[in-house]
């Protein structure tokens, strides 16, 4: 959830005008604030963050509408004796990024978010540990959302967002001095996700290199190292790195792993788009093992991934629910797959949902518009079945990175249309 909010916020920071031109800025701000309001409530004191409500085991035992749930709603927190630096770090990053978003339109709220972000970062940094430790912390999460990359990427990520939000050198210093021992310039990674932040961190650090040229010359050698890792990520997405290319399906989709692969596609599309703008604005090229790459090629590839998501693929299937003539109609989602409370106020019990709704061959009674499902396999095949959760489950962090990209691509399309209109007018 925190990563969703960070990515929505980053999308608005980069493409505010474009999202505004599409008439969607208010919706984006509303979605961000919905998340940050929750984080404020969950951060009950400087060193306490409520991490999870309910647990995966009892939740998965039931298939029912949220209105009918009677399962345990036990809440789990991270604190000084049960740390969760990864969770505190990502939540701090989300609130710092959102504070930039609201700075002009809601300065009081922006200030409040920044206050929480700073406290959470200090807590995560002072009491270090992973949130999914079996003993203490939130051990129940391990089978569902394990922190595979640890917490160092999140602490660097939080510090960098806090630097962007405050312009205070101490945060940049943190990112620089811990670059090596926290893996920021050691890990060359070909995925960017809710768990693994290194590629996003490296992209932002690369952009600082241009922006900070005169400001912090003394840091440029470390920022350069961040940049070389960022470029490794981008080159491997483009399949132009030296033997470390990301797989593509025959239809051209980035393929990282079987389960919910689309999350890696939407994050890659976003980072490629942002870096394409960076190269264009600084009049530079990306240097890959297979030669140098211009900003147009990066954007073209990002667009190819978005086009694939929206239906330009071997299945002719839009993986964004509700968009296009053909999209998944049996999304693995409890609320979508059971008749709505408005239509049937009768209680549907915990296992009753499995008995009466889960196995139905018919499409879901409710369309979960805007959801991006897990997507096809490595051969571009997709089975639209509720029980096929590897492919049909949808996550908020799948959709979030696309908002900024859609804004950018829409603006480009409108500009091209405008140029075409001008040409026609001149004739």
């Amino acid at each position: 959830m925190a990563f969703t909010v960070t990515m929505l916020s980053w999308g608005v920071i980069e493409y505010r005008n474009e999202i505004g031109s599409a008439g969607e800025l208010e919706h984006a701000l509303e979605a961000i604030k919905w998340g940050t309001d929750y984080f404020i409530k969950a951060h009950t004191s400087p060193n306490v963050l409520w991490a999870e409500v309910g647990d995966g085991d009892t939740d998965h035992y039931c298939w029912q509408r949220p209105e009918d749930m009677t399962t345990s709603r036990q809440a789990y927190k991270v604190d000084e004796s049960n740390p969760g630096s990864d969770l505190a770090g990502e939540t701090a990053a989300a609130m710092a990024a959102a504070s930039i978003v609201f700075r002009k339109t809601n300065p009081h709220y922006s200030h409040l978010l920044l206050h929480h972000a700073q406290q959470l970062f200090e807590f995560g940094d002072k009491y270090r540990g992973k949130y999914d430790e079996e003993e203490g912390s939130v051990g129940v999460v391990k089978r569902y959302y394990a922190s595979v990359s640890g917490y160092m990427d999140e602490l660097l990520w939080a510090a960098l967002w806090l630097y962007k939000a405050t312009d205070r050198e101490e945060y940049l210093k943190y990112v620089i001095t811990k670059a090596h021992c926290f893996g920021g310039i050691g890990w060359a990674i070909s995925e960017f996700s809710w768990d693994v932040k290194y590629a996003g961190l490296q992209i932002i650090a690369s952009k600082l290199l241009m922006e900070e040229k005169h400001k912090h010359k003394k840091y440029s050698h470390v920022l350069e190292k961040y940049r070389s890792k960022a470029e490794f990520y981008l080159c491997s997405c483009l399949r132009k790195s030296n033997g470390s290319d990301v797989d593509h399906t025959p239809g051209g989709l980035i393929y990282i792993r079987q389960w919910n692969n689309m999350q890696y596609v939407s994050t890659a599309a976003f980072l490629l788009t942002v870096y394409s703008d960076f190269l264009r604005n600084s009049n530079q090229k990306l240097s890959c093992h297979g030669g140098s790459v211009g900003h147009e090629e990066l954007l073209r590839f990002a667009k190819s991934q978005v086009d694939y998501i929206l239906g330009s693929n071997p299945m002719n299937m839009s993986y964004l629910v509700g968009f296009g003539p053909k999209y998944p109609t049996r999304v693995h989602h409890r609320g979508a797959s059971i008749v709505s409370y408005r239509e049937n106020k009768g209680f549907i019990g915990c296992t009753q949902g499995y008995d009466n709704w889960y196995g139905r061959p018919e499409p879901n009674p409710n369309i979960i518009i805007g959801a991006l499902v897990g997507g096809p396999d490595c051969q571009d095949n997709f089975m639209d079945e509720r029980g096929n959760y590897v492919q049909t489950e949808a996550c908020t962090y799948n959709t979030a990175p696309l908002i900024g990209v859609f804004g950018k691509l829409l603006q480009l399309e409108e500009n091209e249309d405008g140029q075409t209109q001008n040409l026609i007018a001149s004739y």
Side-chain angles (χ1 to χ4, degrees):
M1 187 175 167
F3 183 66
T4 296
V5 171
T6 309
M7 293 310 294
L8 276 176
S9 300
W10 190 4
V12 171
I13 290 165
E14 298 284 347
Y15 302 111
R16 191 182 194 104
N17 295 340
E18 291 84 344
I19 294 169
S21 298
E24 293 296 334
L25 183 61
E26 286 310 308
H27 288 140
L29 298 184
E30 196 185 336
I32 292 165
K33 191 170 184 294
W34 180 86
T36 51
D37 282 352
Y38 181 86
F39 300 144
I40 289 168
K41 289 172 190 165
H43 185 215
T44 48
S45 65
N47 296 342
V48 175
L49 177 64
W50 290 89
E52 177 173 347
V53 179
D55 71 89
D57 291 342
T58 53
D59 280 6
H60 280 68
Y61 181 69
C62 298
W63 191 266
Q64 60 187 147
R65 304 175 295 194
E67 294 92 341
D68 293 331
M69 284 175 76
T70 55
T71 38
S72 158
R73 296 288 88 202
Q74 184 183 337
Y76 301 85
K77 64 180 176 182
V78 292
D79 56 24
E80 293 164 22
S81 45
N82 299 299
S85 305
D86 30 25
L87 195 69
E90 184 58 65
T91 310
M95 291 167 113
S99 80
I100 301 171
V101 169
F102 291 111
R103 191 180 283 155
K104 286 197 173 74
T105 54
N106 194 343
H108 172 73
Y109 189 65
S110 169
H111 186 75
L112 178 67
L113 289 176
L114 200 50
H115 176 67
H116 280 280
Q118 288 170 311
Q119 279 192 348
L120 277 168
F121 172 68
E122 279 169 35
F123 160 55
D125 189 40
K126 188 173 179 186
Y127 301 97
R128 291 185 191 167
K130 295 202 306 173
Y131 87 127
D132 65 351
E133 293 299 345
E134 295 290 0
E135 297 302 317
S137 295
V138 196
V140 292
V141 83
K142 204 172 188 79
R143 281 183 52 212
Y144 301 96
Y145 281 95
S147 184
V148 179
S149 71
Y151 58 76
M152 292 176 183
D153 52 338
E154 276 84 13
L155 287 177
L156 290 170
W157 179 240
L160 194 50
W161 276 110
L162 278 163
Y163 174 65
K164 284 177 73 72
T166 62
D167 211 24
R168 280 166 52 181
E169 197 177 341
E170 65 189 89
Y171 292 119
L172 181 59
K173 232 180 198 154
Y174 187 97
V175 176
I176 298 298
T177 55
K178 293 192 166 30
H180 184 68
C181 57
F182 276 17
I185 56 176
W187 283 100
I189 283 196
S190 50
E191 71 171 73
F192 177 47
S193 67
W194 66 267
D195 180 36
V196 190
K197 309 294 152 47
Y198 287 116
L201 166 78
Q202 290 154 355
I203 295 278
I204 296 178
S206 307
K207 291 181 70 183
L208 283 186
L209 199 57
M210 276 309 291
E211 294 159 19
E212 308 294 320
K213 243 184 184 148
H214 314 295
K215 210 169 171 186
H216 294 303
K217 245 192 165 106
K218 57 188 173 190
Y219 298 140
S220 60
H221 67 292
V222 179
L223 291 174
E224 280 290 359
K225 288 179 179 172
Y226 272 114
R227 180 174 182 174
S228 79
K229 292 293 185 281
E231 300 210 328
F232 171 90
Y233 168 83
L234 298 162
C235 294
S236 65
C237 285
L238 294 164
R239 299 188 59 76
K240 287 176 186 271
S241 73
N242 190 9
S244 306
D245 290 342
V246 165
D247 285 338
H248 289 181
T249 66
L253 185 74
I254 285 175
Y255 192 81
I256 303 287
R257 59 180 61 93
Q258 185 185 11
W259 193 304
N260 189 16
N261 181 62
M262 277 305 185
Q263 62 176 313
Y264 311 110
V265 180
S266 63
T267 51
F270 181 80
L271 294 186
L272 285 153
T273 304
V274 165
Y275 208 79
S276 160
D277 282 349
F278 165 65
L279 292 177
R280 194 190 69 235
N281 296 337
S282 58
N283 200 20
Q284 293 180 64
K285 280 184 159 42
L286 168 68
S287 54
C288 295
H289 182 72
S292 68
V293 179
H295 66 89
E296 308 92 344
E297 191 177 334
L298 259 73
L299 191 60
R300 220 177 11 253
F301 181 67
K303 183 177 179 293
S304 76
Q305 299 302 297
V306 173
D307 288 345
Y308 187 112
I309 288 170
L310 297 179
S312 179
N313 57 59
M315 297 285 291
N316 292 315
M317 164 80 79
S318 160
Y319 293 104
L320 193 74
V321 178
F323 180 84
K326 182 184 173 191
Y327 51 81
T329 58
R330 297 169 190 85
V331 181
H332 180 89
H333 185 278
R334 287 161 177 75
S337 66
I338 303 175
V339 67
S340 87
Y341 194 70
R342 266 197 300 270
E343 286 179 42
N344 175 8
K345 291 189 169 51
F347 178 75
I348 296 171
C350 167
T351 55
Q352 219 179 323
Y354 279 116
D355 298 339
N356 301 342
W357 294 96
Y358 187 77
R360 284 191 178 206
E362 293 88 3
N364 289 346
N366 312 306
I367 298 171
I368 179 164
I369 293 173
L372 179 58
V373 297
D377 66 14
C378 59
Q379 291 297 313
D380 299 297
N381 298 313
F382 177 79
M383 276 171 25
D384 184 14
E385 291 172 7
R386 216 166 284 115
N388 179 22
Y389 44 80
V390 169
Q391 293 188 332
T392 61
E393 192 169 13
C395 300
T396 54
Y397 50 81
N398 291 13
T399 304
L402 291 178
I403 309 305
V405 183
F406 285 151
K408 167 78 180 175
L409 293 176
L410 178 67
Q411 184 215 30
L412 278 178
E413 196 170 79
E414 286 172 350
N415 286 353
E416 281 171 15
D417 288 351
Q419 284 166 355
T420 311
Q421 292 302 322
N422 290 341
L423 277 171
I424 293 166
S426 65
Y427 281 108

